Structures are given as C-alpha cells and as structure tokens.
Amino acid sequence: IRIQGNKRVATSVIRRGLELKPGDIYSDDKMSRSKSNLYRIGVLRDIRHTLEGYDSRSERVGVIITVSEGEFHSTGFGGGVGDVDGLRGFVEWGHYNLFRRAFSLMVANRLTYQPFQVDPTYKYSNSTSLTLRQPYFLNSRIEASTTGLFEKVSYRHHEEEKTGISFLLRNMVTLQREISLLMGLNSRRIFEVDSLDADQSILDNRGRRITQLVSPVVMLDRRNDRFNPSRGYQIVMKSTLAGGPLLLGDINYYLLSFEGTVLHPLVSRRNGQPLVAAGRIKLGVVREFGGTSSVPPTEQFNIGGGRSLRGYNELTIGPIADRDMPGNIVVLSNLELRCPIWRDLGCVVFLDAANVFRELYFDQRFHLLTTGGLGLRYRTPVG
C-alpha cells in the first residue's frame, strides 16, 4: 500500500483509516469503507486509488492511494431571519489540521433575538463554544472531542445560564452504525422566574445547580442517502444518566428514548424520482430520582415546530412555555407522502400526531395533538 499526494497531513493519519492492511486479501468493499473513513476525518478533498499488478499472475497486488488535501482553516460569519429564532447571527473560526494530525480546533459564537412573535418561547439566546476534536483517540478508530460551552437563553417564563464541559467519544468505522458516549459536567443557573406562570420544574430548579451526566447513543442508518433518502430505515436509541451514586451533582434523573424512521418508494416517475412514503416515531421518558424534585425543564421533552409537530410554534408544548404541559413522556409520529414535481422541486403531504405527558395512560386521558398539511420542498446539495 502506497499513499501519495499528502503534504501537510501525516501519512500515519491516513493509514489508520484504511480497512486494508499489507497481506490482506484485496476487496472493493474494504476499499470503499476505507474511503468513507478517510472522508470523515474532514481534511481530504478527494481520494482515489489504482492497482498495480492486478492483471499479472502474481498473487500480490499493489494499492496506490492518491489523496488531495482540503483547506485547513475557515472563518465564517453570517446572519438570517427565521420564524423560530427571529434575527440570528454567528461568527466562527476553525483550524482542522493541528500538528499535522488532523486535530481540529473550532470556536463559535451565536446570537438570536426574536422581535416578531408576541409571546415567543425564547426571546434571545447567546452561546459561545470551543471544541477540540481528535479523529483517532489513543490510536484507535474512535473520534474524541471536548467542548467548553457558555450559553444564556431568555425563555418565556425564566432566564437560564449554562456553563459546561463535555467529552464525546464516537466510533469512526462506518457511517451506517454509530456508537457514541457523551460525558458532561455543567453548571446551570435559572433566574428571573415568573412565579405565577412558570412550570413547577422551573420553580424547583431555580438558582444554581450542578449536573454530571453520561449518555450513550446507538444509531443504525440503512438509508440509501444521508441527505436525500428515498428508501431504507434509521434507528436511534439514546439513554442518559445524571447524578446518582456514581456521578456527582445536584440533579438526578434518567432518560430513555427510541426514534425510528422508515422510507419506502411507491411509484417511480418518468424522471426517475419516486413517490416516497416516509414515517417516523419517537418514544421517550425522563424521570427524576434520589431526592430531585423534578427534571430541569430544558432537559424534559418540549415539542412543536417544523421538526416535530408542525402547526405549533417551536417548543411551545412542554414545560418551557406552558406550565400545564409536563414533558416527562413524549409520543411523536410523523407521516409523509413525498412527491417530485420538477427536477429538485417537490411537494409533501404530511400528518403529525404528538403530545407530552406526565404519566402515560391508555384510556380517555391519552390524546394526541394532530396536524395535517401540504408543503413545497426544494432539494439542495446538502439536504
């Protein structure tokens, strides 16, 4: 195996991403997985390979991997207007090849301000983060990243400041199966509380609280395309443990959630784009224990908006915005019929049904909020 074309990325970094080793039996499948691994490092623009001696009678074949390096620095700034955030802006800077080892250092600051809605879920937010990422942690196939964060958000009935540090481990073997482990320590301060209208969980957690948590996530992605899928399925299972006898902190809770998405093509059009039926279901529960009065409202389930229950404003169903809507249990389902119209323009017919509960009863107390509608979609290169 010979690697060429790299000038500023260490050859050893590229070799760690290869599924092929000298002495192995060559296969196109291993070569394809190797390229996927290398693209995930984030510093290579193009990867090609050729074979030497493939047509000869020799039992040995040479693999020449030619790479093209990308840009290692980025500076960005911008702004926009949205129905959720209102006015928003960001400034960010990144370096993606520190020490020639593909280490990344990223700094970002984001601001939002909502002047358009009369009673928005949150009025403004400010967040600053610093992230250091290492693609091969301790010479393994595991990506590690450490993030320091400061965030301040003015919600409808309270204000919240959060300062924390998190450590994320994620496997880099394949895009279709991902196992990650998040460990975090943060200090949260809830203040300026509206005692008359705020949810009880906001009242219980006002002041400063320390949270230490661990959160493993398992994802299986069998969709045919990550940006514009038309068939396959995706499963995401997440659990979180905060506090308890093993972890320090003032807040104790656990969270379990399951999310599944299925896509199936129905009829192919003349242009080759199929009519697609898509469905998603999400189930989750979060509970306090060990003397904690209630889970902080931002850690409970809050739904509403374009990514959960369309027809309702962002995060308006749940304890952040409504004291009468607890968020200990979530039941969420989305059904869509996606129809291509012309080139990258399409339409979708959707039906959403969801709600959040304190307890789940399968009787007259169980009800889902439902919305249906029709929308237009334009397929961009990134989704």
Side-chain angles (χ1 to χ4, degrees), residues 240-290:
T240 300
L241 174 64
L246 301 178
L247 301 174
L248 302 175
D250 304 321
I251 299 175
N252 308 296
Y253 70 88
Y254 66 87
L255 179 147
L256 300 171
S257 69
F258 169 88
E259 183 174 342
T261 302
V262 178
L263 302 105
H264 183 70
L266 299 178
V267 180
S268 295
R269 303 288 297 273
R270 291 182 179 179
N271 57 6
Q273 299 182 20
L275 182 71
V276 177
R280 179 177 72 138
I281 185 170
K282 179 178 180 179
L283 306 172
V285 58
V286 58
R287 293 291 186 192
E288 65 277 353
F289 67 93

Short mmCIF file of all heavy atoms in Angstrom, two decimals, residues 240-290:
data_model
loop_
_atom_site.label_atom_id
_atom_site.label_comp_id
_atom_site.label_asym_id
_atom_site.label_seq_id
_atom_site.Cartn_x
_atom_site.Cartn_y
_atom_site.Cartn_z
N THR A 240 -29.64 8.43 29.05
CA THR A 240 -28.87 9.41 29.82
C THR A 240 -29.05 9.12 31.30
O THR A 240 -30.17 8.85 31.76
CB THR A 240 -29.33 10.84 29.51
OG1 THR A 240 -29.16 11.13 28.13
CG2 THR A 240 -28.53 11.85 30.33
N LEU A 241 -27.95 9.17 32.03
CA LEU A 241 -28.00 9.07 33.49
C LEU A 241 -27.28 10.29 34.06
O LEU A 241 -26.11 10.53 33.73
CB LEU A 241 -27.32 7.80 33.97
CG LEU A 241 -27.19 7.66 35.49
CD1 LEU A 241 -28.57 7.57 36.15
CD2 LEU A 241 -26.33 6.45 35.87
N ALA A 242 -27.98 11.05 34.88
CA ALA A 242 -27.40 12.23 35.53
C ALA A 242 -27.46 12.03 37.04
O ALA A 242 -28.50 11.66 37.59
CB ALA A 242 -28.16 13.49 35.14
N GLY A 243 -26.34 12.28 37.70
CA GLY A 243 -26.29 12.16 39.15
C GLY A 243 -26.29 10.72 39.60
O GLY A 243 -25.69 9.84 38.98
N GLY A 244 -26.97 10.46 40.71
CA GLY A 244 -26.98 9.12 41.26
C GLY A 244 -25.76 8.86 42.13
O GLY A 244 -24.91 9.73 42.35
N PRO A 245 -25.60 7.63 42.61
CA PRO A 245 -24.46 7.32 43.50
C PRO A 245 -23.10 7.34 42.82
O PRO A 245 -22.08 7.48 43.48
CB PRO A 245 -24.81 5.90 44.00
CG PRO A 245 -25.70 5.33 42.93
CD PRO A 245 -26.48 6.49 42.40
N LEU A 246 -23.06 7.21 41.48
CA LEU A 246 -21.79 7.15 40.78
C LEU A 246 -21.34 8.49 40.21
O LEU A 246 -20.15 8.68 39.95
CB LEU A 246 -21.87 6.11 39.64
CG LEU A 246 -22.21 4.68 40.05
CD1 LEU A 246 -22.28 3.79 38.82
CD2 LEU A 246 -21.18 4.14 41.04
N LEU A 247 -22.27 9.41 39.99
CA LEU A 247 -21.95 10.69 39.37
C LEU A 247 -22.26 11.82 40.35
O LEU A 247 -23.26 11.79 41.06
CB LEU A 247 -22.76 10.89 38.09
CG LEU A 247 -22.57 9.84 37.00
CD1 LEU A 247 -23.55 10.06 35.86
CD2 LEU A 247 -21.13 9.86 36.48
N LEU A 248 -21.40 12.83 40.39
CA LEU A 248 -21.60 13.96 41.27
C LEU A 248 -22.66 14.89 40.69
O LEU A 248 -23.01 14.82 39.52
CB LEU A 248 -20.29 14.72 41.46
CG LEU A 248 -19.12 13.92 42.03
CD1 LEU A 248 -17.87 14.78 42.06
CD2 LEU A 248 -19.44 13.38 43.42
N GLY A 249 -23.16 15.80 41.51
CA GLY A 249 -24.11 16.78 41.03
C GLY A 249 -25.31 16.92 41.93
O GLY A 249 -25.55 16.10 42.83
N ASP A 250 -26.08 18.00 41.69
CA ASP A 250 -27.26 18.29 42.49
C ASP A 250 -28.54 17.73 41.89
O ASP A 250 -29.57 17.72 42.55
CB ASP A 250 -27.43 19.81 42.62
CG ASP A 250 -26.19 20.48 43.20
OD1 ASP A 250 -25.59 19.90 44.12
OD2 ASP A 250 -25.83 21.57 42.73
N ILE A 251 -28.49 17.29 40.62
CA ILE A 251 -29.69 16.85 39.92
C ILE A 251 -29.53 15.40 39.51
O ILE A 251 -28.50 14.99 38.94
CB ILE A 251 -29.94 17.73 38.67
CG1 ILE A 251 -30.15 19.18 39.09
CG2 ILE A 251 -31.15 17.23 37.89
CD1 ILE A 251 -30.29 20.14 37.94
N ASN A 252 -30.55 14.59 39.81
CA ASN A 252 -30.55 13.17 39.48
C ASN A 252 -31.73 12.85 38.57
O ASN A 252 -32.88 13.12 38.92
CB ASN A 252 -30.67 12.31 40.75
CG ASN A 252 -29.64 12.70 41.80
OD1 ASN A 252 -28.44 12.55 41.60
ND2 ASN A 252 -30.12 13.22 42.93
N TYR A 253 -31.43 12.33 37.39
CA TYR A 253 -32.51 11.90 36.50
C TYR A 253 -31.96 10.90 35.49
O TYR A 253 -30.74 10.79 35.29
CB TYR A 253 -33.16 13.09 35.78
CG TYR A 253 -32.31 13.76 34.74
CD1 TYR A 253 -32.30 13.33 33.41
CD2 TYR A 253 -31.51 14.86 35.05
CE1 TYR A 253 -31.52 13.95 32.44
CE2 TYR A 253 -30.74 15.49 34.09
CZ TYR A 253 -30.75 15.03 32.80
OH TYR A 253 -29.98 15.63 31.84
N TYR A 254 -32.87 10.16 34.85
CA TYR A 254 -32.51 9.26 33.76
C TYR A 254 -33.45 9.50 32.59
O TYR A 254 -34.59 9.94 32.77
CB TYR A 254 -32.56 7.79 34.20
CG TYR A 254 -33.94 7.28 34.54
CD1 TYR A 254 -34.78 6.75 33.56
CD2 TYR A 254 -34.41 7.31 35.86
CE1 TYR A 254 -36.05 6.29 33.86
CE2 TYR A 254 -35.67 6.85 36.17
CZ TYR A 254 -36.49 6.34 35.18
OH TYR A 254 -37.74 5.88 35.48
N LEU A 255 -32.96 9.24 31.39
CA LEU A 255 -33.74 9.43 30.17
C LEU A 255 -33.53 8.24 29.25
O LEU A 255 -32.39 7.76 29.09
CB LEU A 255 -33.32 10.72 29.47
CG LEU A 255 -34.02 11.08 28.15
CD1 LEU A 255 -34.16 12.59 28.02
CD2 LEU A 255 -33.26 10.54 26.93
N LEU A 256 -34.61 7.76 28.65
CA LEU A 256 -34.58 6.70 27.65
C LEU A 256 -35.42 7.15 26.46
O LEU A 256 -36.55 7.61 26.64
CB LEU A 256 -35.13 5.39 28.22
CG LEU A 256 -34.42 4.80 29.43
CD1 LEU A 256 -35.22 3.64 30.00
CD2 LEU A 256 -33.01 4.33 29.07
N SER A 257 -34.89 7.00 25.24
CA SER A 257 -35.67 7.38 24.07
C SER A 257 -35.35 6.46 22.91
O SER A 257 -34.24 5.94 22.79
CB SER A 257 -35.41 8.84 23.67
OG SER A 257 -34.10 8.99 23.15
N PHE A 258 -36.35 6.29 22.05
CA PHE A 258 -36.23 5.47 20.83
C PHE A 258 -36.83 6.27 19.68
O PHE A 258 -37.92 6.84 19.81
CB PHE A 258 -36.96 4.14 20.97
CG PHE A 258 -37.10 3.38 19.68
CD1 PHE A 258 -36.11 2.52 19.26
CD2 PHE A 258 -38.22 3.55 18.87
CE1 PHE A 258 -36.23 1.82 18.06
CE2 PHE A 258 -38.35 2.87 17.67
CZ PHE A 258 -37.35 2.00 17.27
N GLU A 259 -36.11 6.32 18.56
CA GLU A 259 -36.61 7.01 17.38
C GLU A 259 -36.34 6.15 16.15
O GLU A 259 -35.22 5.69 15.94
CB GLU A 259 -35.93 8.37 17.23
CG GLU A 259 -36.45 9.18 16.06
CD GLU A 259 -35.87 10.57 16.01
OE1 GLU A 259 -35.34 11.04 17.04
OE2 GLU A 259 -35.93 11.21 14.92
N GLY A 260 -37.37 5.92 15.38
CA GLY A 260 -37.24 5.11 14.16
C GLY A 260 -37.85 5.80 12.96
O GLY A 260 -38.94 6.40 13.07
N THR A 261 -37.15 5.75 11.82
CA THR A 261 -37.62 6.36 10.57
C THR A 261 -37.59 5.31 9.47
O THR A 261 -36.62 4.55 9.36
CB THR A 261 -36.72 7.54 10.16
OG1 THR A 261 -36.71 8.51 11.21
CG2 THR A 261 -37.22 8.19 8.89
N VAL A 262 -38.65 5.25 8.66
CA VAL A 262 -38.75 4.29 7.56
C VAL A 262 -39.15 5.06 6.30
O VAL A 262 -40.04 5.92 6.33
CB VAL A 262 -39.80 3.19 7.85
CG1 VAL A 262 -39.92 2.25 6.67
CG2 VAL A 262 -39.42 2.42 9.10
N LEU A 263 -38.47 4.75 5.18
CA LEU A 263 -38.80 5.34 3.88
C LEU A 263 -38.98 4.22 2.87
O LEU A 263 -38.19 3.27 2.82
CB LEU A 263 -37.69 6.29 3.41
CG LEU A 263 -37.34 7.45 4.33
CD1 LEU A 263 -36.03 7.16 5.04
CD2 LEU A 263 -37.24 8.75 3.55
N HIS A 264 -40.03 4.35 2.04
CA HIS A 264 -40.31 3.30 1.06
C HIS A 264 -40.80 3.94 -0.24
O HIS A 264 -41.78 4.70 -0.23
CB HIS A 264 -41.37 2.33 1.58
CG HIS A 264 -41.65 1.20 0.64
ND1 HIS A 264 -40.74 0.18 0.41
CD2 HIS A 264 -42.72 0.92 -0.13
CE1 HIS A 264 -41.25 -0.67 -0.46
NE2 HIS A 264 -42.45 -0.24 -0.81
N PRO A 265 -40.14 3.68 -1.38
CA PRO A 265 -40.61 4.23 -2.66
C PRO A 265 -41.85 3.49 -3.13
O PRO A 265 -41.93 2.27 -3.05
CB PRO A 265 -39.41 4.00 -3.59
CG PRO A 265 -38.69 2.83 -3.00
CD PRO A 265 -38.89 2.91 -1.52
N LEU A 266 -42.82 4.24 -3.64
CA LEU A 266 -44.08 3.64 -4.09
C LEU A 266 -44.13 3.52 -5.61
O LEU A 266 -44.24 2.42 -6.15
CB LEU A 266 -45.26 4.48 -3.59
CG LEU A 266 -45.38 4.61 -2.07
CD1 LEU A 266 -46.57 5.52 -1.71
CD2 LEU A 266 -45.53 3.24 -1.42
N VAL A 267 -44.06 4.63 -6.30
CA VAL A 267 -44.17 4.64 -7.76
C VAL A 267 -43.05 5.50 -8.32
O VAL A 267 -42.81 6.62 -7.83
CB VAL A 267 -45.53 5.20 -8.22
CG1 VAL A 267 -45.61 5.20 -9.75
CG2 VAL A 267 -46.67 4.38 -7.62
N SER A 268 -42.34 5.02 -9.33
CA SER A 268 -41.27 5.80 -9.95
C SER A 268 -41.84 6.68 -11.04
O SER A 268 -42.67 6.25 -11.85
CB SER A 268 -40.20 4.87 -10.53
OG SER A 268 -39.55 4.17 -9.51
N ARG A 269 -41.40 7.94 -11.07
CA ARG A 269 -41.82 8.85 -12.12
C ARG A 269 -40.91 8.72 -13.33
O ARG A 269 -39.90 8.02 -13.32
CB ARG A 269 -41.75 10.30 -11.58
CG ARG A 269 -42.58 10.53 -10.32
CD ARG A 269 -44.06 10.52 -10.63
NE ARG A 269 -44.40 11.62 -11.52
CZ ARG A 269 -44.71 12.85 -11.09
NH1 ARG A 269 -44.70 13.12 -9.80
NH2 ARG A 269 -45.00 13.80 -11.96
N ARG A 270 -41.27 9.40 -14.41
CA ARG A 270 -40.50 9.31 -15.64
C ARG A 270 -39.07 9.81 -15.47
O ARG A 270 -38.15 9.32 -16.10
CB ARG A 270 -41.19 10.10 -16.75
CG ARG A 270 -42.51 9.49 -17.20
CD ARG A 270 -43.11 10.33 -18.34
NE ARG A 270 -44.37 9.75 -18.80
CZ ARG A 270 -45.11 10.29 -19.77
NH1 ARG A 270 -44.70 11.42 -20.35
NH2 ARG A 270 -46.24 9.71 -20.14
N ASN A 271 -38.90 10.82 -14.61
CA ASN A 271 -37.57 11.37 -14.40
C ASN A 271 -36.74 10.54 -13.43
O ASN A 271 -35.64 10.92 -13.07
CB ASN A 271 -37.66 12.81 -13.89
CG ASN A 271 -38.47 12.91 -12.60
OD1 ASN A 271 -38.88 11.91 -12.02
ND2 ASN A 271 -38.69 14.14 -12.15
N GLY A 272 -37.28 9.40 -12.99
CA GLY A 272 -36.54 8.51 -12.11
C GLY A 272 -36.71 8.78 -10.64
O GLY A 272 -36.27 7.99 -9.81
N GLN A 273 -37.35 9.89 -10.26
CA GLN A 273 -37.57 10.22 -8.87
C GLN A 273 -38.87 9.57 -8.40
O GLN A 273 -39.93 9.81 -8.97
CB GLN A 273 -37.61 11.73 -8.66
CG GLN A 273 -36.33 12.44 -9.04
CD GLN A 273 -36.41 13.93 -8.78
OE1 GLN A 273 -37.24 14.39 -8.01
NE2 GLN A 273 -35.55 14.70 -9.44
N PRO A 274 -38.83 8.78 -7.34
CA PRO A 274 -40.02 8.04 -6.92
C PRO A 274 -40.93 8.85 -6.01
O PRO A 274 -40.53 9.85 -5.40
CB PRO A 274 -39.43 6.85 -6.17
CG PRO A 274 -38.18 7.39 -5.56
CD PRO A 274 -37.64 8.41 -6.55
N LEU A 275 -42.17 8.41 -5.94
CA LEU A 275 -43.10 8.85 -4.92
C LEU A 275 -42.76 8.07 -3.65
O LEU A 275 -42.73 6.84 -3.66
CB LEU A 275 -44.53 8.57 -5.36
CG LEU A 275 -45.66 9.02 -4.44
CD1 LEU A 275 -45.78 10.53 -4.45
CD2 LEU A 275 -46.98 8.38 -4.87
N VAL A 276 -42.47 8.77 -2.56
CA VAL A 276 -41.92 8.14 -1.36
C VAL A 276 -42.87 8.31 -0.19
O VAL A 276 -43.37 9.42 0.07
CB VAL A 276 -40.54 8.75 -1.01
CG1 VAL A 276 -40.00 8.13 0.28
CG2 VAL A 276 -39.55 8.52 -2.14
N ALA A 277 -43.12 7.21 0.50
CA ALA A 277 -43.85 7.24 1.77
C ALA A 277 -42.83 7.19 2.89
O ALA A 277 -41.93 6.35 2.89
CB ALA A 277 -44.82 6.07 1.87
N ALA A 278 -42.94 8.10 3.86
CA ALA A 278 -41.99 8.19 4.96
C ALA A 278 -42.75 8.27 6.28
O ALA A 278 -43.80 8.90 6.37
CB ALA A 278 -41.08 9.41 4.80
N GLY A 279 -42.20 7.62 7.28
CA GLY A 279 -42.81 7.65 8.60
C GLY A 279 -41.76 7.70 9.68
O GLY A 279 -40.66 7.17 9.53
N ARG A 280 -42.08 8.36 10.77
CA ARG A 280 -41.17 8.45 11.91
C ARG A 280 -41.97 8.33 13.19
O ARG A 280 -43.09 8.82 13.30
CB ARG A 280 -40.42 9.78 11.92
CG ARG A 280 -39.48 9.93 13.12
CD ARG A 280 -38.68 11.22 13.06
NE ARG A 280 -39.51 12.38 13.33
CZ ARG A 280 -39.13 13.42 14.09
NH1 ARG A 280 -37.94 13.41 14.66
NH2 ARG A 280 -39.92 14.45 14.26
N ILE A 281 -41.38 7.65 14.18
CA ILE A 281 -41.98 7.54 15.50
C ILE A 281 -40.91 7.77 16.55
O ILE A 281 -39.76 7.32 16.38
CB ILE A 281 -42.68 6.18 15.71
CG1 ILE A 281 -43.40 6.16 17.06
CG2 ILE A 281 -41.70 5.03 15.59
CD1 ILE A 281 -44.30 4.97 17.25
N LYS A 282 -41.25 8.49 17.59
CA LYS A 282 -40.32 8.73 18.69
C LYS A 282 -41.05 8.53 20.00
O LYS A 282 -42.14 9.07 20.21
CB LYS A 282 -39.75 10.15 18.63
CG LYS A 282 -38.78 10.46 19.77
CD LYS A 282 -38.18 11.86 19.64
CE LYS A 282 -37.21 12.14 20.78
NZ LYS A 282 -36.60 13.50 20.66
N LEU A 283 -40.44 7.75 20.89
CA LEU A 283 -40.96 7.49 22.22
C LEU A 283 -39.86 7.80 23.22
O LEU A 283 -38.70 7.43 23.02
CB LEU A 283 -41.41 6.04 22.36
CG LEU A 283 -42.40 5.51 21.32
CD1 LEU A 283 -42.58 4.01 21.49
CD2 LEU A 283 -43.74 6.24 21.45
N GLY A 284 -40.21 8.48 24.31
CA GLY A 284 -39.19 8.82 25.28
C GLY A 284 -39.77 9.03 26.66
O GLY A 284 -40.94 9.39 26.81
N VAL A 285 -38.94 8.77 27.67
CA VAL A 285 -39.33 9.00 29.06
C VAL A 285 -38.14 9.58 29.81
O VAL A 285 -36.99 9.18 29.58
CB VAL A 285 -39.82 7.69 29.73
CG1 VAL A 285 -38.75 6.60 29.67
CG2 VAL A 285 -40.25 7.94 31.17
N VAL A 286 -38.39 10.54 30.69
CA VAL A 286 -37.37 11.11 31.55
C VAL A 286 -37.95 11.21 32.96
O VAL A 286 -39.09 11.64 33.14
CB VAL A 286 -36.88 12.48 31.03
CG1 VAL A 286 -38.02 13.48 30.92
CG2 VAL A 286 -35.77 13.03 31.92
N ARG A 287 -37.15 10.76 33.96
CA ARG A 287 -37.64 10.72 35.33
C ARG A 287 -36.55 11.19 36.29
O ARG A 287 -35.38 10.90 36.11
CB ARG A 287 -38.04 9.29 35.73
CG ARG A 287 -39.25 8.75 34.99
CD ARG A 287 -40.50 9.47 35.42
NE ARG A 287 -41.69 8.85 34.83
CZ ARG A 287 -42.89 9.40 34.85
NH1 ARG A 287 -43.07 10.57 35.43
NH2 ARG A 287 -43.91 8.79 34.29
N GLU A 288 -36.98 11.89 37.35
CA GLU A 288 -36.08 12.27 38.42
C GLU A 288 -36.03 11.15 39.47
O GLU A 288 -36.94 10.30 39.53
CB GLU A 288 -36.53 13.58 39.06
CG GLU A 288 -37.87 13.50 39.77
CD GLU A 288 -39.06 13.66 38.84
OE1 GLU A 288 -38.85 13.96 37.65
OE2 GLU A 288 -40.21 13.47 39.31
N PHE A 289 -34.97 11.14 40.27
CA PHE A 289 -34.87 10.17 41.35
C PHE A 289 -33.90 10.74 42.40
O PHE A 289 -33.26 11.77 42.21
CB PHE A 289 -34.40 8.80 40.84
CG PHE A 289 -32.98 8.79 40.33
CD1 PHE A 289 -31.92 8.44 41.16
CD2 PHE A 289 -32.70 9.12 39.01
CE1 PHE A 289 -30.62 8.44 40.70
CE2 PHE A 289 -31.39 9.11 38.53
CZ PHE A 289 -30.34 8.77 39.38
N GLY A 290 -33.79 10.02 43.52
CA GLY A 290 -32.79 10.35 44.53
C GLY A 290 -32.96 11.71 45.18
O GLY A 290 -31.97 12.40 45.43
#
